[in-house]
């Protein structure tokens, strides 16, 4: 949003104002401190300054991001510019969309007006699957598509990323399993992806600025991941989210909030992610309930949630997540429940279990680490509540209240049972997200988290 700033007042330092000369009390002698103490202090200060305070980090995102209400109208021109630059303007574009043609049909018509031919692939409802991605790749190959445009929620965007990658890396007879982690051969991409434009219509996954796709493969979720998979252009138009159903607003919004919170407290945070993720937490905490209750008329709440989603995508792509997402892949494959609902059910309990572990066993053997992450949870609590004096416990309670206000049930409602815990924990402990948790949780602590989330 345009921001106007009033002129800052110029303050004259007090030392610049002439004052009458009055006698002052004698200053303590600087010689009073023993020489040996001063030398030790100087050496400690020098040692501290000689060690870097910031660990090396990288930051990558979509090559171009276009944000704002009404920006979806620019998609045909952006596609035309990109395909002409990449030398594939004469080939049809593949539109990857959700089950309905609500967004894809108008987009295809506008592309046609701009002289761009297109074919459309509609993903089935629910989470993206390997089978869905394979079918989309097959259509793109048969139609000799040059570029890919994904418009919809996380399912079309993640599917579109796979298509764009395999079009240029899969050869004449592509096999998606060549590139999938865990269930496939996890081969790296060797060529740039086909031109790819992502247009999200939900505010949650942040997939328009991430370098991976997450697909269901049987009873588990797996990733295809490479820096080349970052979209060439992401167009984020809050107006496309105005008519989202309340349930989708809740699930995707809580996913966005989780994807801001987990990177901020992760063991791989960095200064850039800190700033972005904390702002995302603030926006999500203040506007999700309003978007859920009045999103059809409150454009500003929708804007906030689109920014929260965007910031969450930036954060998870450039730091790590934590136990919530460590569990979500396994639980998603087991329960076939919405990803955002799983994250929402786990979020407050993950925070509580992490804080208890930090205050207890971690504090006893590594107090500096415990204090570092507890301070981060305190900052989260004060950001979520808007209260500069809030405690960590009050922050956890505020998150739980937000989940309840958005009507998200516990995991038991999706079919999770206590007898599933051992298998769920064993599988989830191996996920890359779990390795980003601020503290390595024991099996019992992980089961306790699941038990609280039932």
């Amino acid at each position: 949003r345009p921001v106007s700033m009033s002129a800052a007042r110029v303050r004259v330092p007090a030392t610049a104002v002439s004052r009458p000369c009055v006698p002052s009390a004698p200053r303590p002698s600087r010689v009073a401190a023993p020489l040996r103490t001063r030398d030790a202090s100087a050496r400690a200060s020098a040692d501290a300054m000689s060690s870097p305070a910031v660990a090396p980090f990288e930051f990558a995102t979509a090559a171009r991001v276009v944000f704002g209400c009404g920006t979806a109208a620019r998609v045909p021109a952006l596609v035309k510019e990109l395909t002409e630059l990449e030398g594939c303007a004469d080939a049809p574009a593949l539109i990857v969309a959700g089950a309905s043609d609500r967004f894809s049909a108008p987009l295809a018509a506008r592309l046609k007006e701009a002289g761009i031919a297109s074919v459309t692939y509609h993903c089935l409802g629910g989470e993206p699957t390997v089978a869905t991605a394979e079918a989309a790749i097959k259509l793109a190959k048969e139609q000799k598509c040059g570029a890919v445009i994904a418009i919809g929620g996380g399912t079309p965007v993640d599917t579109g990323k796979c298509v764009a990658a395999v079009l240029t890396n899969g050869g004449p007879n592509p096999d998606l399993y060549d590139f999938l982690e865990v269930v496939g051969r996890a081969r790296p991409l060797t060529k740039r992806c086909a031109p790819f434009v992502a247009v999200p219509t939900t505010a949650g996954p942040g997939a328009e600025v991430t370098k991976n796709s997450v697909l269901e493969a049987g009873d588990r979720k797996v990733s295809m991941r490479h820096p080349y998979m970052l979209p060439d252009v992401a167009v984020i138009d809050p107006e496309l989210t105005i008519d989202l159903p309340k349930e989708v607003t809740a699930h995707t919004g809580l996913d966005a909030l989780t994807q801001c919170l987990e990177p901020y407290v992760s063991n791989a945070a960095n200064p850039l992610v800190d700033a972005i993720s904390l702002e995302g937490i603030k926006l999500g905490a203040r506007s999700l309930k309003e978007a859920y209750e009045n999103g059809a008329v409150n454009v500003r709440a929708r804007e906030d949630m689109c920014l929260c989603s965007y910031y969450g995508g930036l954060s998870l792509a450039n730091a790590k997540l934590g136990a919530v997402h460590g569990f979500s892949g396994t639980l998603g494959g087991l329960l076939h429940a919405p990803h955002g609902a799983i994250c929402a059910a786990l979020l407050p309990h993950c925070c509580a279990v992490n804080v208890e572990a930090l205050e207890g066993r971690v504090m006893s053997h590594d107090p500096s680490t415990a204090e570092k992450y507890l301070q981060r949870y305190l900052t989260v609590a004060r950001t979520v509540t808007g209260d500069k004096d809030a405690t960590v416990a009050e922050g956890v309670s505020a998150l739980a209240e937000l989940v309840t206000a958005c009507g998200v049930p516990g995991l038991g409602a999706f079919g999770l049972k206590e007898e599933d815990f051992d298998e769920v924990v064993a599988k989830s402990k191996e996920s890359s997200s779990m390795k980003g948790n601020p503290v390595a949780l024991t099996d019992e602590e992980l089961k306790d988290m699941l038990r609280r989330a039932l």
Side-chain angles (χ1 to χ4, degrees), residues 40-183:
S41 176
R43 282 197 301 272
S45 177
D47 289 344
M49 292 177 65
S50 66
S51 301
V54 179
F57 69 92
E58 295 184 23
F59 194 94
T61 187
R64 185 176 183 182
V65 177
V66 180
F67 183 97
C69 289
T71 53
R74 295 176 55 188
V75 171
L78 292 166
V79 171
K80 190 175 185 68
E81 178 184 337
L82 179 62
T83 54
E84 287 176 350
L85 180 67
E86 297 293 339
C88 58
D90 294 333
L94 177 73
I95 300 173
V96 182
S100 79
D101 63 357
R102 178 183 167 204
F103 294 110
S104 59
L107 174 58
R110 292 198 302 270
L111 289 171
K112 185 176 181 180
E113 290 172 2
I116 303 168
S118 66
V119 293
T120 302
Y121 176 81
H122 290 283
C123 299
L124 301 176
E127 300 294 307
T129 66
V130 172
T132 298
E134 288 177 324
I137 292 166
K138 183 174 182 291
L139 177 63
K141 280 286 188 182
E142 289 173 348
Q143 298 295 320
K144 297 181 172 54
C145 294
V148 180
I149 310 163
I151 185 164
T155 294
V157 175
D158 272 1
T159 301
K161 277 193 261 188
C162 287
V163 176
V166 175
L167 273 179
T168 55
N169 287 271
N173 299 299
D175 183 354
L176 183 57
Y177 281 88
D178 282 342
F179 308 103
L180 294 177
E181 299 174 352
V182 183
V183 297

Side-chain angles (χ1 to χ4, degrees), residues 340-400:
I342 292 172
C343 291
L346 286 166
L347 179 59
H349 308 297
C350 177
C351 292
V353 170
N354 278 340
V355 168
E356 289 165 14
L358 290 164
E359 289 178 335
R361 60 182 178 83
V362 179
M363 184 66 77
S364 65
H365 73 269
D366 189 356
S368 62
T369 295
E371 289 167 1
K372 169 185 173 182
Y373 291 115
L374 287 171
Q375 181 59 50
R376 285 186 171 253
Y377 274 109
L378 185 61
T379 302
V380 168
R382 292 173 177 176
T383 303
V384 166
T385 61
D387 179 357
K388 65 180 177 60
D389 297 318
T391 64
V392 173
E394 288 169 336
V396 172
S397 294
L399 289 172

Side-chain angles (χ1 to χ4, degrees), residues 221-234:
K221 286 192 172 185
V222 299
S223 286
M224 179 176 175
R225 186 189 319 267
H226 196 277
Y228 291 170
M229 292 176 69
L230 285 163
D232 294 288
V233 182

Side-chain angles (χ1 to χ4, degrees), residues 331 334-335 337 341-342 345-346 349 408-418 420-421 449-454:
L331 291 172
L334 174 67
L335 306 175
I342 292 172
L346 286 166
H349 308 297
V408 181
L411 294 177
F414 297 108
L416 183 66
K417 300 178 177 61
E418 192 147 353
D420 299 322
F421 287 5
M449 190 188 306
L450 292 174
R451 195 172 295 112
R452 299 185 195 194
L454 281 175

Side-chain angles (χ1 to χ4, degrees), residues 165-294:
V166 175
L167 273 179
T168 55
N169 287 271
N173 299 299
D175 183 354
L176 183 57
Y177 281 88
D178 282 342
F179 308 103
L180 294 177
E181 299 174 352
V182 183
V183 297
R185 291 167 281 280
R187 293 177 182 166
L189 302 184
T190 57
K191 297 178 183 177
R192 289 180 58 194
C193 300
F196 179 55
V197 178
V199 189
T201 61
T202 62
E208 68 276 7
V209 288
T210 63
K211 59 187 175 186
N212 69 307
S213 293
V214 181
L215 308 174
E216 281 191 2
D219 64 348
R220 63 175 65 194
K221 286 192 172 185
V222 299
S223 286
M224 179 176 175
R225 186 189 319 267
H226 196 277
Y228 291 170
M229 292 176 69
L230 285 163
D232 294 288
V233 182
V235 180
I236 307 169
D237 186 342
E239 288 182 353
L240 300 182
T241 70
I242 290 291
D243 295 324
L244 274 179
K246 292 182 71 172
E247 185 179 65
V248 178
T249 297
H251 293 172
T252 57
L254 286 163
D255 185 22
L257 182 57
T258 304
Q259 290 176 169
C260 290
L261 194 156
E262 285 202 297
Y264 182 74
V265 299
S266 80
N267 57 30
N270 63 65
L272 195 49
V273 165
D274 284 352
I276 293 168
S277 59
L278 203 57
E279 179 67 12
I281 293 168
K282 182 182 79 172
L283 294 172
R286 88 177 179 196
S287 292
L288 176 54
K289 188 169 181 286
E290 177 63 21
Y292 176 73
E293 294 176 347
N294 301 300

